[in-house]
């Protein structure tokens, strides 16, 4: 009822899409950011914080996902330590292939937060 071409889309320019399958950190609900404009009385819009967005993109690891995460990192919205901590504590225990996703995270961290060579 809220997709492209729906009454909601035509009247308000708003489209709602359902995500079928996604991996996300365990305690994401505690960090959701309120986005609802004050003029809405019966609608509540909340979104992941930047770290949870990045972690939710980890398993798919598409080019677009990597670009989105790089954008967040360049804007200073991500930290290496927080990504590693939440991955280990809240995401890794629930993944179907934690070794693969852990390796993907390590590659992302090397690219996004290069360490000086000693």
């Amino acid at each position: 009822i809220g997709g492209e071409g729906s009454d909601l889309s035509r009247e308000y320019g708003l489209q709602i899409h359902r995500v079928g399958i996604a991996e996300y950190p365990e305690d994401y609900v505690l960090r959701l950011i309120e986005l609802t404009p004050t003029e809405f009385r019966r609608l509540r819009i909340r979104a992941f914080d930047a770290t949870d967005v990045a972690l939710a993109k980890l398993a798919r690891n598409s080019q677009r996902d990597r670009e989105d995460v790089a954008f967040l990192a360049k804007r200073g919205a991500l930290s290496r330590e927080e990504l590693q901590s939440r991955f280990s504590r809240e995401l890794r225990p629930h993944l179907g292939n934690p070794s693969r996703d852990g390796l993907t995270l390590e590659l992302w961290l090397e690219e996004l937060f290069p360490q000086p060579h000693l």
Side-chain angles (χ1 to χ4, degrees):
I1 63 171
E4 187 174 349
S6 67
D7 291 342
L8 184 68
S9 176
R10 284 191 299 278
E11 187 169 344
Y12 297 102
L14 177 67
Q15 294 180 19
I16 300 171
H17 298 274
R18 182 180 181 276
V19 175
I21 299 173
E23 303 285 353
Y24 47 86
E26 184 174 306
D27 290 332
Y28 77 93
V29 173
L30 303 174
R31 296 180 293 269
L32 289 172
I33 299 165
E34 184 70 43
L35 300 175
T36 312
T38 56
E39 56 269 16
F40 288 103
R41 293 182 318 227
R42 293 180 282 188
L43 177 67
R44 189 168 182 200
I45 303 169
R46 298 185 308 165
F48 283 169
D49 73 2
T51 302
D52 289 339
V53 166
L55 292 173
K57 291 176 169 287
L58 188 65
R60 192 170 70 172
N61 193 29
S62 72
Q63 180 65 33
R64 180 173 185 138
D65 292 326
R66 290 187 301 274
E67 290 168 1
D68 290 346
V69 173
F71 174 83
L72 292 171
K74 286 177 189 169
R75 296 296 184 271
L78 299 175
S79 87
R80 177 184 195 95
E81 295 75 21
E82 188 64 21
L83 280 165
Q84 288 174 311
S85 174
R86 280 197 209 167
F87 176 80
S88 296
R89 194 176 64 242
E90 298 182 29
L91 188 59
R92 185 180 183 89
H94 307 288
L95 293 172
N97 193 342
S99 297
R100 181 198 64 204
D101 295 335
L103 178 58
T104 301
L105 178 63
E106 289 304 315
L107 294 171
W108 283 14
L109 293 174
E110 286 177 22
E111 184 178 319
L112 299 173
F113 306 100
Q115 300 294 311
H117 296 289
L118 300 175

